[in-house]
Amino acid sequence: MKYVVVSGGVISGIGKGVLASSTGMLLKTLGLKVTSIKIDPYMNIDAGTMSPLEHGECFVLNDGGETDLDLGNYERYLNVTLTKDHNITTGKIYSHVIARERKGDYLGKTVQIVPHLTNAIQDWIERVSRIPVDDTGLEPDVCIIELGGTVGDIESAPFVEALRQFQFKVGKENFALIHVSLVPVIHGEQKTKPTQAAIKDLRSLGLVPDMIACRCSEQLEQSTIDKIAMFCHVGSEQVVNVHDVNSTYHVPLLLLEQKMIDYLHNRLQLNDITLNDDDKQRGNDLLTKWKKTTGNFDASMETVKIALVGKYTNLKDSYLSVIKALEHSSMRCRRKLDIMWVESTDLEPETQETDKARFHEAWNKVSSADGVLVPGGFGTRGTEGMIHAARWARENKIPFLGVCLGLQIATIEFVRDVIGKTEASSTEFVEGLDEENQVVIYMPEIDKATMGGNMRLGLRPTYFQDNSEWSKIRKLYGSPASVEERHRHRYEINPEIVSELEENGLAFVGKDESNKRCEIFELKNHPYYVATQYHPEYTSKVLDPSKPFLGLIAAASGILDDVIDGKYDFHTDSESTDF
Ligand code: GLN
């Protein structure tokens, strides 16, 4: 197993995740099998209990793991399926060691951070890196380990020490380190001091950079590269220029141009890994498809405008997978994506009273959009605004997609307006809601006493109902009997009211295995009005966009029938992609 560690200095949030996943993706183009581990040095066991406004989206895995959003980057770039163990947090590793101590595994010993915790980290990495994650079902060849935070923080110290020891355990030719640093531009000058200081910190902790990836708003000058190489004690070929680019999908190609892979190839003696012709061919195909799909941006392409009506819009990372799913679908439909961010409270009558300009601006966006999206969310704030947006889309025949909370919102809207129960709501939004108005209710099996990791989570099947052959969403999936998608919710559509909803035209075309729980609804007499209780965005891939999102973008672009007929599918021969 070859390990590539990606750590960061100077500041966090400079795109370590994208750099790490792009590196992994490039290694895959050689035909290697690549996996990844993300280390998050916080005390939470997982990301499930953190506010999206503070930490960005909580990403959900097949096994129900609620993880850091970078796991999403890895799944998307590497086309792999990870497990909850691929995300190590301080909370997880401490509770693992403490549980072992209680069991008596260290009987007679004083349990310490070094060596017990640091050993546990190394054992965890070795064990998890070997789990097969792609469709070959084989053990991976390379594991990318991203260390969150910045080196030098108190939080990450045990992990840094574990990795320091690990490099000797696995051997020099099996361990490489990429340190991501920042080169600020001050008064037009590219400053190298922060990078020099970051590398000094790294070396003082016993880690040696094999590559220094410099994030900069502009292309690095040769003199900057030479200076960093000189003062950080590396060759200039080890300094990688990662300047801002239009799209993060271009980062792998940026790294490729700078021969990063050639360097890693030598450094990690990748020739030792035997690859057969099929592996190499798969790698080649991946690079060709990636270049073709991501290089497909063209200034002359038509724009598709999507109003994203959410409640965490101040931090765009709260909706990272949703944005990615929209991007993947737009690339497939050959459209330029314009996401119009709408904070849902801005659509509410209270805002009209307090801040008219804000209210009108928000409605201007919703009413000029080609499609409306209401994504997932928790709590009452902003839900009335979402209900107004869903009504706008339903009445004006604007393509609409509701995801999780979005499905619950659109159902409440329908009951209020079409069935006429104006007080209808969710027990999540209104305490003590009368029984007759309970459109969305707490699921009976969910524990009310604890919060961590106990929602209805992970991959679960949805069965298409008899007589749903007409359904656009079913056709987009290729007309299967069932689909499997990832979930994360505590509330559901009240099963008692489903028949009444269906009699009024809201077709629940997909239900769970009990045939009671609603998973997908669709309106028949509408260009595209679809909502899912699950989160299809989590499994969207650059080369395989999520179907409900593809439907939204296609309908908003006026090409839904062509997309359903496969006219926009990816083909390797250049002619058929030339629209
Ligand atoms: N708050 C809703 C629930 O728990 C929706 C959750 C979500 O959108 N992920 O059911």
Side-chain angles (χ1 to χ4, degrees):
M1 176 72 61
K2 308 285 181 185
Y3 295 92
V4 178
V5 174
V6 179
S7 57
V10 188
I11 54 167
S12 61
I14 46 173
K16 270 198 311 276
V18 170
L19 189 109
S21 24
S22 302
T23 307
M25 186 260 161
L26 284 180
L27 289 165
K28 250 186 107 113
T29 64
L30 299 177
L32 297 164
K33 293 180 284 302
V34 183
T35 183
S36 79
I37 295 176
K38 170 80 199 287
I39 298 176
D40 281 306
Y42 46 66
M43 292 293 293
N44 305 57
I45 298 280
D46 59 39
T49 53
M50 291 193 274
S51 160
L53 277 174
E54 201 168 301
H55 204 78
E57 152 192 287
C58 167
F59 190 76
V60 180
L61 301 168
N62 271 1
D63 67 3
E66 296 174 282
T67 69
D68 186 82
L69 52 78
D70 276 313
L71 279 268
N73 279 329
Y74 293 116
E75 286 205 342
R76 287 187 285 266
Y77 278 74
L78 304 179
N79 197 13
V80 292
T81 304
L82 301 173
T83 71
K84 24 174 106 123
D85 284 355
H86 288 85
N87 192 190
I88 314 179
T89 67
T90 299
K92 251 186 217 174
I93 201 83
Y94 269 79
S95 47
H96 171 74
V97 171
I98 292 167
R100 288 191 58 195
E101 186 275 334
R102 292 288 80 186
K103 240 173 72 201
D105 283 2
Y106 309 109
L107 217 52
K109 296 270 190 309
T110 307
V111 182
Q112 292 179 300
I113 299 204
V114 182
H116 300 100
L117 193 81
T118 46
N119 282 350
I121 295 170
Q122 294 177 67
D123 293 347
W124 190 302
I125 291 175
E126 278 201 295
R127 175 176 64 82
V128 172
S129 62
R130 297 189 188 286
I131 299 174
V133 288
D134 64 16
D135 44 17
T136 63
L138 299 171
E139 198 174 283
D141 306 305
V142 182
C143 176
I144 309 280
I145 304 173
E146 181 192 344
L147 176 60
T150 43
V151 170
D153 294 348
I154 293 178
E155 273 75 15
S156 57
F159 295 105
V160 171
E161 172 57 16
L163 291 169
R164 186 193 68 77
Q165 296 178 13
F166 195 60
Q167 63 188 329
F168 299 108
K169 187 170 178 186
V170 299
K172 194 172 162 44
E173 70 285 5
N174 296 322
F175 183 98
L177 187 134
I178 303 174
H179 199 60
V180 185
S181 181
L182 177 73
V183 175
V185 181
I186 313 277
H187 301 310
E189 196 188 334
Q190 298 180 350
K191 295 287 190 187
T192 64
K193 258 295 158 43
T195 301
Q196 294 180 39
I199 298 298
K200 213 168 172 185
D201 284 349
L202 186 73
R203 286 188 190 277
S204 72
L205 296 168
L207 289 172
V208 181
D210 290 293
M211 308 204 92
I212 304 174
C214 298
R215 289 285 294 110
C216 186
S217 54
E218 57 186 37
Q219 194 138 354
L220 293 189
E221 288 154 18
Q222 191 56 44
S223 57
T224 310
I225 295 178
D226 293 343
K227 201 164 169 187
I228 291 173
M230 160 79 104
F231 290 111
C232 296
H233 200 65
V234 295
S236 47
E237 73 286 3
Q238 288 166 273
V239 181
V240 192
N241 178 354
V242 196
H243 56 83
D244 289 354
V245 280
N246 287 344
S247 151
T248 51
Y249 301 115
H250 296 156
V251 177
L253 303 179
L254 185 69
L255 302 178
L256 191 67
E257 275 167 23
Q258 296 177 66
K259 305 206 172 359
M260 174 201 236
I261 289 310
D262 300 351
Y263 182 84
L264 287 177
H265 202 278
N266 286 333
R267 172 66 187 75
L268 292 169
Q269 299 177 14
L270 295 178
N271 276 339
D272 293 354
I273 302 171
T274 343
L275 294 174
N276 58 36
D277 288 345
D278 282 354
D279 295 333
K280 288 185 192 155
Q281 188 57 44
R282 220 186 21 241
N284 270 333
D285 286 352
L286 173 63
L287 188 60
T288 316
K289 282 189 188 172
W290 187 278
K291 279 186 177 162
K292 215 169 208 178
T293 307
T294 61
N296 223 334
F297 290 109
D298 175 347
S300 66
M301 280 188 317
E302 276 177 57
T303 302
V304 57
K305 289 191 280 185
I306 302 295
L308 195 156
V309 184
K311 54 186 293 185
Y312 316 118
T313 58
N314 284 340
L315 181 67
K316 309 287 182 277
D317 271 0
S318 306
Y319 297 111
L320 188 66
S321 297
V322 167
I323 300 172
K324 294 295 152 194
L326 289 170
E327 285 175 3
H328 302 160
S329 302
S330 311
M331 283 193 256
R332 172 63 62 90
C333 293
R334 320 274 189 280
R335 289 292 187 281
K336 242 189 317 192
L337 174 66
D338 179 4
I339 300 181
M340 302 198 287
W341 295 90
V342 180
E343 183 66 26
S344 54
T345 44
D346 292 353
L347 300 172
E348 296 175 355
E350 288 73 26
T351 310
Q352 186 174 21
E353 281 160 29
T354 54
D355 192 340
K356 270 206 170 61
R358 220 184 153 89
F359 175 82
H360 287 295
E361 196 192 328
W363 272 108
N364 194 11
K365 287 185 197 164
V366 172
S367 56
S368 61
D370 303 314
V372 174
L373 171 66
V374 177
F378 293 83
T380 315
R381 184 181 62 83
T383 51
E384 289 301 319
M386 294 174 186
I387 291 174
H388 290 306
R391 178 162 307 156
W392 168 270
R394 185 175 57 78
E395 289 184 341
N396 293 289
K397 303 250 188 282
I398 307 295
F400 171 88
L401 176 64
V403 171
C404 201
L405 177 67
L407 171 129
Q408 300 170 359
I409 288 287
T411 310
I412 295 169
E413 187 283 311
F414 190 85
V415 174
R416 285 190 189 174
D417 202 51
V418 179
I419 302 186
K421 285 190 196 166
T422 51
E423 299 298 310
S425 192
S426 162
T427 55
E428 181 179 15
F429 313 152
V430 181
E431 232 184 87
L433 184 66
D434 321 333
E435 220 163 285
E436 58 171 296
N437 289 318
Q438 294 185 3
V439 169
V440 180
I441 56 166
Y442 204 81
M443 283 184 284
E445 71 266 39
I446 306 289
D447 175 11
K448 279 197 162 143
T450 56
M451 282 298 225
N454 67 358
M455 289 189 227
R456 182 167 176 256
L457 289 166
L459 201 68
R460 288 158 191 274
T462 292
Y463 295 90
F464 284 103
Q465 303 297 291
D466 293 342
N467 307 322
S468 65
E469 289 74 20
W470 59 272
S471 153
K472 296 177 185 112
I473 183 68
R474 186 175 187 180
K475 286 186 195 159
L476 280 159
Y477 275 114
S479 299
S482 66
V483 288
E484 289 198 305
E485 295 272 14
R486 297 179 182 176
H487 294 70
R488 182 171 189 249
H489 64 128
R490 290 195 177 89
Y491 294 80
E492 62 172 335
I493 303 303
N494 187 349
E496 304 284 321
I497 64 160
V498 169
S499 47
E500 191 183 359
L501 288 169
E502 299 207 296
E503 280 157 23
N504 282 281
L506 193 63
F508 285 95
V509 293
K511 294 193 183 143
D512 77 340
E513 64 280 6
S514 73
N515 217 21
K516 292 208 170 71
R517 184 159 284 152
C518 298
E519 292 280 9
I520 312 174
F521 82 54
E522 183 168 345
L523 274 183
K524 217 173 189 174
N525 55 353
H526 192 285
Y528 190 77
Y529 198 85
V530 169
T532 62
Q533 186 59 74
Y534 54 77
H535 290 265
E537 68 272 23
Y538 290 136
T539 46
S540 189
K541 301 274 160 37
V542 176
L543 305 176
D544 185 15
S546 158
K547 300 299 185 282
F549 283 86
L550 183 60
L552 175 69
I553 295 290
S557 309
I559 54 169
L560 183 58
D561 289 339
D562 283 348
V563 167
I564 289 176
D565 289 345
K567 295 205 181 122
Y568 282 73
D569 283 359
F570 188 86
H571 300 286
T572 29
D573 59 298
S574 54
E575 263 167 61
S576 43
T577 51
D578 190 16
F579 276 76

